[in-house]
């Protein structure tokens, strides 16, 4: 309560530190007008049902009106939600946010016939439509993408049945979310000051980094206690979700649930397997990291609860926001004048909502609507982490800015597979700048530690998660049971594989699989590892080659979804169908380990 009392209210924050939300809508009345327009367009578009195959003109007209409606819907949805995020206690904008969410469902329902009707048009008729109507060619990629998935689309009756089963199929996810967010009860421990503190999800992340090893051990053991108590129920939930994805893959005639999950972005299954294989070939680096961590922490025996506490003491590095902007500009200057001009525009023209206020949404993100500049939400508190967050979110923002400026609405948004590339590339370039411009040995060690932690948490850890998903899905495919015991055994062996012999694999970690929400969106987490690898490879190329690499990189940022993610990255000089980007990224990890070992001798 005391902490909240110190926070300023929204109206007490200077306008220079708030985002220019009026660039979306000047008033709520303006918002309401577009909200009504979307409702009217949704009703109009529903009248096209059963007609899309009649002529090229009708199909083109429908798609154009759909673009108009969805662009307005995006503006309506973004404004309502961003206004609610400014102060989550504001009932007016919570109501607008709910209205926008319901409108999105209404629009989806009104146009739900679109895909099935396009698929029903014979190939020769579609080809004729393209010849007849030049305007329809704008939608060629979109239509081709639908037709590409034709072998996996069922009859109208079967699709209707699957749609009806859709809500039921989310049961495992819903039950897990309810358990993990509402019903789970963690024990109480004593913090570093000896005060009693209830473990929560939010506090765990902080407490596991404690300098006090007793606290780390107690929070680690306490955190996994309730998962252990409900391990059979959690195993049944997880198995149910696996069986659901396998069922949908089978009925849609995919070779596997993995193939189905990757098909939306047209990513070859080879990319998934290759990521795991390449990381396996570089396990020696992680084992070196564990040994170095053990040595620098001065431990006779390192445990799983010792993996997150900093191996370099905190440094007193307060960075005011104005200084953070200057630092990020200098760090990203290697990307050239045009990129930095856009960065300055974002800094100087209120793209960013900077400081925390009472009721403001936590965390950070970049968002926005086509036709206006991107927006960045921060809760800036002058730490080095926050400086990297600024660089990260502006990476997302400038990616969106470039794609919005270059692509039409239909192809402006980009796929999740590439979503973290620009943001992580910015962080890597900023890190390179800071490492080359610090003369303080402790500060340099702190930065390298920060970087090593990113590799551990993103490239290695997310690949381990991906391998766990791969193994368990394969078991379901073979008809093998997923019990709490075999899930824990699999997870224990993976920790042994990924962390090596120099660490004690505490039994509590065997239950970690039971607390990962992303496992309920099958084959999602691998994209963190591939995106991170691509970003490191791109930043390395930019630093080595300069202008040609920058040109290719900016063209990638402009690409939106005009090509498949794999092809967009190939254009920037990174081929994710080969093992090279992951190997190159892990070479950076090895070089950092070398440098850290030299520094700490």
């Amino acid at each position: 309560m005391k902490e909240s009392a110190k926070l300023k209210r929204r109206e007490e924050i200077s306008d220079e530190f708030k985002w220019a939300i009026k660039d979306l809508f000047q008033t709520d009345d303006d918002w309401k007008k577009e909200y009504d327009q979307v409702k009217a367009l949704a009703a109009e578009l529903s009248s096209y049902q059963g007609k899309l195959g009649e002529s090229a003109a009708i199909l083109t007209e429908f798609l154009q009106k759909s673009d108009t409606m969805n662009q307005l819907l995006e503006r309506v949805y973004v404004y309502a939600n961003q206004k609610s995020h400014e102060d989550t206690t504001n009932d007016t904008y919570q109501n607008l946010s709910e209205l926008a969410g319901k409108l999105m469902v209404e629009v989806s329902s009104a146009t739900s016939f679109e895909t099935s009707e396009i698929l029903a048009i014979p190939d020769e008729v579609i080809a004729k439509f393209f010849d007849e109507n030049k305007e329809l060619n704008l939608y060629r990629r979109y239509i081709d993408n639908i037709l590409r998935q034709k072998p996996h689309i069922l009859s109208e009756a079967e699709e209707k049945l699957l749609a009806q089963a859709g809500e039921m199929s989310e049961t495992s996810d819903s039950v897990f979310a309810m358990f993990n967010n509402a019903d789970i009860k963690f024990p109480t421990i004593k913090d570093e000051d000896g005060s009693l503190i209830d473990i929560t999800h939010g506090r765990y992340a902080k407490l596991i980094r404690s300098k006090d090893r007793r606290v780390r051990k107690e929070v680690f053991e306490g955190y996994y206690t309730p998962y252990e108590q409900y391990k059979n129920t959690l195993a049944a939930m997880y198995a149910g979700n696996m069986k659901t994805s396998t069922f949908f893959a089978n009925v849609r005639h995919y070779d596997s649930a993995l193939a189905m999950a990757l098909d939306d972005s047209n990513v070859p299954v080879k990319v998934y397997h290759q990521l795991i294989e390449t990381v396996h070939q570089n396990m020696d680096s992680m084992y070196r990291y564990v040994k170095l961590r053990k040595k620098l922490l001065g431990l006779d025996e390192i445990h799983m609860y010792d993996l997150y506490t900093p191996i370099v003491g905190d440094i007193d590095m307060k960075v005011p926001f104005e200084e953070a902007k200057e630092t990020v500009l200098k760090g990203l200057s290697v990307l050239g004048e045009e990129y930095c001009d856009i960065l300055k525009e974002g800094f100087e023209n209120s793209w960013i909502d900077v400081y925390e206020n009472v009721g403001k949404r936590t965390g950070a993100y970049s968002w926005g609507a086509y036709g206006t500049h991107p927006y960045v939400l921060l809760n800036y508190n002058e730490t080095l982490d926050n400086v990297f967050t600024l660089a990260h979110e502006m990476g997302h923002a400038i990616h969106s800015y470039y794609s919005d400026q270059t692509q039409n609405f239909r192809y402006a948004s980009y796929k999740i597979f590439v979503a973290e590339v620009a943001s992580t590339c910015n962080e890597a370039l900023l890190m390179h700048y800071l490492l080359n411009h610090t003369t303080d040995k402790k500060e340099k060690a702190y930065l390298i530690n920060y970087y090593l932690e990113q590799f551990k948490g993103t490239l290695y850890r997310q690949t381990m998660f991906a391998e766990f998903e791969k193994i368990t899905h394969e078991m379901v495919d073979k008809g093998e049971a997923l019990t709490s015991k075999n899930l824990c055994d699999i997870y224990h062996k993976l920790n042994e594989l990924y962390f090596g012999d120099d660490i004690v694999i505490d039994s509590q970690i065997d239950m970690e699989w039971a607390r990962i929400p992303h496992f309920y969106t099958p084959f999602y987490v691998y994209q963190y590892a591939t995106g991170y690898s691509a970003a490191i490879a791109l930043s390395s190329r930019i630093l080595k080659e300069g202008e040609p690499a920058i040109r290719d990189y900016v063209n990638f940022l402009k690409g939106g979804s005009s090509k498949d993610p794999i092809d967009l990255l190939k254009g920037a000089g990174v081929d994710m169908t080969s093992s090279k980007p992951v190997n190159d990224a892990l070479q950076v990890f090895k070089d950092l380990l070398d440098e850290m070992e030299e520094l700490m001798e």
Side-chain angles (χ1 to χ4, degrees), residues 339-470:
Y339 189 96
C340 287
D341 283 345
I342 299 169
L343 187 59
K344 287 176 190 173
E345 183 180 336
F347 287 164
E348 295 167 4
N349 291 289
S350 301
W351 290 13
I352 308 170
D353 205 81
V354 181
Y355 295 116
E356 188 177 5
N357 58 252
V358 174
K360 185 176 176 181
R361 182 193 187 276
T362 58
Y365 66 67
S366 171
W367 204 14
Y370 188 85
T372 57
H373 60 75
Y375 290 91
V376 166
L377 180 138
L378 299 177
N379 282 279
Y380 192 82
N381 62 10
E382 301 191 344
T383 66
L384 180 63
D385 278 3
N386 281 196
V387 179
F388 278 100
T389 299
L390 174 62
H392 181 101
E393 299 304 338
M394 288 306 291
H396 283 307
I398 295 175
H399 190 178
S400 297
Y401 178 89
Y402 267 125
S403 60
D404 283 3
Q405 291 290 315
T406 310
Q407 303 297 329
N408 57 64
F409 176 74
R410 177 70 56 161
Y411 304 120
S413 60
Y414 39 84
K415 294 287 187 179
I416 295 294
F417 190 84
V418 297
E420 292 298 323
V421 172
S423 54
T424 306
C425 185
N426 270 12
E427 285 198 71
L429 293 171
L430 176 59
M431 177 62 76
H432 182 268
Y433 169 81
L434 291 173
L435 286 172
N436 283 342
H437 286 80
T438 182
T439 55
D440 184 285
K441 186 177 177 180
K442 187 177 180 183
E443 187 176 299
K444 190 164 194 175
Y446 181 87
L447 289 165
I448 294 174
N449 175 50
Y450 181 95
Y451 210 1
L452 290 170
E453 288 296 300
Q454 286 188 312
F455 274 93
K456 172 176 72 72
T458 307
L459 218 169
Y460 280 99
R461 180 174 163 82
Q462 300 298 332
T463 301
M464 185 178 81
F465 286 172
E467 186 166 3
F468 178 76
E469 287 192 89
K470 174 180 176 288

Side-chain angles (χ1 to χ4, degrees), residues 137-148:
N137 278 275
L138 169 65
Y139 301 97
R140 182 183 288 273
R141 171 169 166 75
Y142 169 71
I143 292 170
D144 285 348
N145 225 12
I146 291 175
L147 298 178
R148 177 178 65 78

Side-chain angles (χ1 to χ4, degrees), residues 155-340:
S155 70
E156 186 176 342
E158 289 169 323
E159 283 293 337
K160 187 174 181 179
L161 189 62
L162 286 183
Q164 289 172 342
E167 188 174 352
M168 181 176 64
S169 73
E170 295 171 6
T171 301
S172 293
D173 187 13
S174 300
V175 173
F176 172 77
M178 189 61 69
F179 170 81
N180 208 39
N181 296 319
D183 293 341
I184 195 166
K185 297 291 183 255
F186 297 104
T188 299
I189 66 163
K190 288 184 178 180
D191 65 13
E192 293 169 345
D193 300 322
S195 302
L196 289 174
I197 183 170
D198 293 332
I199 300 172
T200 65
H201 288 304
R203 288 172 180 164
Y204 177 77
K206 181 179 179 182
L207 291 168
I208 199 66
R209 292 171 57 85
S210 173
K211 294 175 184 175
D212 187 330
R213 199 171 189 222
R214 174 196 60 80
V215 173
R216 299 200 300 269
K217 184 175 188 292
E218 288 185 11
V219 74
F220 175 77
E221 292 174 350
Y223 190 66
Y224 285 105
T225 297
Y227 292 105
E228 172 68 25
Q229 290 170 342
Y230 293 97
K231 62 183 179 182
N232 295 320
T233 300
L234 288 160
M237 276 188 247
Y238 180 76
N241 199 62
M242 300 298 98
K243 290 173 183 176
T244 297
S245 62
T246 297
F247 165 77
F248 279 101
N250 287 339
V251 298
R252 289 200 177 282
H253 311 301
Y254 283 99
D255 293 337
S256 64
L258 174 61
M260 181 176 70
L262 271 58
D263 191 45
D264 180 57
S265 296
N266 204 18
V267 173
V269 170
K270 169 189 174 184
V271 171
Y272 196 97
H273 296 308
Q274 191 167 252
L275 168 68
I276 295 169
E277 290 165 9
T278 307
V279 170
H280 280 189
Q281 292 160 10
N282 288 273
M283 289 299 192
D284 58 319
S285 297
M286 179 51 65
Y287 303 160
R288 272 181 67 199
Y289 169 82
V290 171
K291 284 183 181 178
L292 178 62
R293 172 169 276 276
K294 180 180 176 182
K295 176 185 173 183
L296 294 180
L297 290 174
L299 299 174
D300 294 328
E301 190 176 75
I302 187 168
H303 286 253
M304 299 304 292
Y305 50 79
D306 297 316
L307 281 174
Y308 296 95
T309 190
I311 53 179
V312 178
D314 289 339
I315 55 174
D316 187 18
M317 203 173 180
K318 286 280 185 182
V319 188
F321 188 63
E322 289 303 315
E323 184 181 332
K325 291 192 292 185
E326 286 302 314
T327 301
V328 170
L329 266 169
K330 289 174 184 174
L332 302 183
S333 62
V334 293
L335 289 171
E337 187 177 349
E338 180 185 88
Y339 189 96
C340 287

Side-chain angles (χ1 to χ4, degrees), residues 24-25 38 69-80 104 367-371 404 409 413:
L24 262 175
F25 292 102
V38 174
M69 177 189 66
N70 283 312
Q71 189 173 341
L72 293 174
L73 174 62
E74 184 178 71
R75 286 165 50 81
V76 164
Y77 189 81
V78 169
Y79 177 84
M104 188 167 276
W367 204 14
Y370 188 85
D404 283 3
F409 176 74
S413 60

Side-chain angles (χ1 to χ4, degrees), residues 224 238 304 308 461-462 464-469 471-472 484-499 505-516 519:
Y224 285 105
Y238 180 76
M304 299 304 292
Y308 296 95
R461 180 174 163 82
Q462 300 298 332
M464 185 178 81
F465 286 172
E467 186 166 3
F468 178 76
E469 287 192 89
I471 292 167
T472 52
S484 61
K485 184 181 184 308
N486 57 29
L487 288 170
C488 287
D489 287 346
I490 292 163
Y491 206 80
H492 188 91
K493 288 173 185 173
L494 283 172
N495 274 279
E496 288 178 333
L497 172 63
Y498 277 76
F499 293 103
I505 309 296
D506 303 278
S507 61
Q508 289 84 2
I509 202 65
D510 299 354
M511 285 301 304
E512 188 177 38
W513 61 267
R515 74 172 184 90
I516 309 299
F519 284 164

